[in-house]
Amino acid sequence: MRDIVHLIDVMPDKAIHRASHEAQESSDGFAFRLLKPLRGELLTTTSSDPRVWVVATAPSEKTWCVVVFNDRPTEVQFDLTTLGQLRASQTVVIEDAGLVRTPVALEQHNRGYAGLLKPKSVQQFVFDVPAQAPRGVIREQQVPASGVLHELAAGKPLMLEIALTPEQLAGVTGARLRLVQQNLARRVDVKFNGEPLAVEPTQSWLHEQPLEVKSLRAKNTLQFTLREGVADKVTINAASIVLVTKK
């Protein structure tokens, strides 16, 4: 369940591939069935906590489905705010350990819902949506650096380059740095186009953080330098820039 929600959040195409390759009776198969309402077009979501993942879809013109996953080892209070004052027709908790769905009552306020999430558990909402609910399209394109599985060595900075064409840069409204890394946090100094970039990944190997659109160039450079005295093995498995355009 954890892996699937995380993939839908950051790499939805990989979640689709995983669904097509897993047997129905596997743990992934059960997880996909429990998340059955989460289908249709993906909706834009944001979370103020990098360890609390939020994904949403529009299964139909009349409903939206929102899933919130708490990846922390402790309970968290959450405040779910929706676009407009939507009413939840169904709210359930899905606990990963038991793979069961349990209806739950939540406190509703004028902007959405507030609740409590147990460690490693999922809360799923199904909202009734008025016909006039606003819609738009967000397109994301991932542009990778060449090469994979780069291991950092003391005194030898790793330089990666990501080229962007004028067509790719046209109309870009947002950008993110995406890294697949191991042991990067507090061990490596990072520069993007020559400027220091504070990169502090969470426990996930997949790390993303916003980039300023004005900082993008036709040729973008990433420099990774192992900090003095670091003995741990550090790898940059892959690096890319995600470009966002809105229509």
Side-chain angles (χ1 to χ4, degrees):
M1 182 73 70
R2 176 183 185 271
D3 293 351
I4 292 169
V5 174
H6 193 35
L7 282 175
I8 295 172
D9 185 26
V10 296
M11 289 186 175
D13 58 316
K14 300 299 187 292
I16 294 172
H17 294 161
R18 184 159 172 171
S20 63
H21 286 89
E22 289 294 332
Q24 287 293 310
E25 299 307 315
S26 67
S27 59
D28 276 7
F30 283 116
F32 275 111
R33 273 184 276 176
L34 290 169
L35 292 171
K36 186 176 180 180
L38 193 70
R39 56 176 58 194
E41 294 182 349
L42 282 172
L43 302 176
T44 302
T45 60
T46 58
S47 174
S48 60
D49 187 335
R51 298 285 299 279
V52 177
W53 307 328
V54 183
V55 295
T57 63
S60 71
E61 293 183 355
K62 297 181 179 180
T63 58
W64 286 354
C65 179
V66 180
V67 167
V68 184
F69 185 92
N70 175 24
D71 193 44
R72 292 194 175 278
T74 56
E75 292 183 337
V76 296
Q77 294 277 352
F78 71 90
D79 188 10
L80 177 65
T81 302
T82 61
L83 184 64
Q85 296 183 6
L86 302 183
R87 183 179 65 85
S89 58
Q90 180 191 85
T91 58
V92 297
V93 170
I94 305 173
E95 296 189 42
D96 207 12
L99 289 178
V100 294
R101 293 166 59 92
T102 306
V104 61
L106 296 176
E107 175 190 349
Q108 185 173 11
H109 51 71
N110 60 354
R111 295 178 300 126
Y113 289 82
L116 182 70
L117 266 177
K118 294 181 180 180
K120 308 297 181 182
S121 69
V122 180
Q123 197 133 306
Q124 185 179 84
F125 302 80
V126 176
F127 289 99
D128 297 326
V129 180
Q132 68 273 20
R135 292 285 184 91
V137 176
I138 295 178
R139 180 176 179 268
E140 295 190 351
Q141 181 181 12
Q142 177 177 269
V143 184
S146 60
V148 294
L149 302 178
H150 306 282
E151 186 172 338
L152 298 186
K156 296 181 179 180
L158 169 66
M159 294 291 295
L160 300 178
E161 185 176 288
I162 302 175
L164 301 175
T165 66
E167 292 76 17
Q168 290 171 326
L169 288 170
V172 169
T173 57
R176 303 192 305 274
L177 174 65
R178 175 178 286 170
L179 299 174
V180 181
Q181 51 74 40
Q182 185 177 1
N183 287 336
L184 186 64
R186 296 179 295 280
R187 297 174 178 87
V188 176
D189 292 319
V190 183
K191 289 185 177 181
F192 179 71
N193 287 337
E195 297 295 327
L197 187 66
V199 178
E200 295 295 338
T202 59
Q203 290 186 353
S204 171
W205 281 25
L206 180 62
H207 172 75
E208 289 191 334
Q209 70 182 72
L211 294 172
E212 291 188 11
V213 173
K214 63 182 181 182
S215 70
L216 300 177
R217 302 174 182 173
K219 290 186 178 180
N220 300 274
T221 59
L222 276 166
Q223 178 180 310
F224 302 88
T225 304
L226 205 61
R227 292 177 182 172
E228 187 175 350
V230 173
D232 298 332
K233 179 180 178 181
V234 180
T235 58
I236 306 299
N237 298 326
S240 61
I241 293 175
V242 179
L243 302 175
V244 181
T245 55
K246 296 181 180 180
K247 297 181 180 180

